[in-house]
Amino acid sequence: MDTHARSVVKAISWRVMATLVTGTLTFLFTGSLLIAMGVGSSEAVSKIFLYWAHERLWDRIRWGRMFHISSP
């Protein structure tokens, strides 16, 4: 299980990469740096929390996990 801090750092590193893509695509579609920065920053802030919540939720679901039983 990841710690809360690790989940937050993973979320931030992913959001930096994803926000650069969103900002770049928004700029290419609109030609406006101001709009691209607005969309990118609002998207980043909201999705950091959503990613963290998603990770924590999935950490509680046992489906698909493999558990190892250690022998004495």
Side-chain angles (χ1 to χ4, degrees), residues 1-11 52 55-56 59:
M1 175 196 304
D2 284 349
T3 64
H4 289 285
R6 180 178 165 87
S7 293
V8 169
V9 171
K10 284 171 56 179
W52 173 83
E55 283 284 303
R56 301 313 297 178
D59 201 39

Side-chain angles (χ1 to χ4, degrees), residues 7 11 47-61:
S7 293
K47 287 187 179 175
I48 285 172
F49 172 74
L50 291 172
Y51 177 82
W52 173 83
H54 181 263
E55 283 284 303
R56 301 313 297 178
L57 176 66
W58 269 99
D59 201 39
R60 295 173 183 256
I61 298 171

Side-chain angles (χ1 to χ4, degrees), residues 4 8 17 21-22 27 30-32 39 46 50 55-56 60:
H4 289 285
V8 169
M17 221 168 36
V21 171
T22 299
F27 178 73
T30 67
S32 170
V39 169
S46 62
L50 291 172
E55 283 284 303
R56 301 313 297 178
R60 295 173 183 256

Side-chain angles (χ1 to χ4, degrees), residues 18-35:
T19 298
L20 289 173
V21 171
T22 299
T24 300
L25 289 173
T26 302
F27 178 73
L28 292 174
F29 285 122
T30 67
S32 170
L33 187 58
L34 188 62
I35 292 173

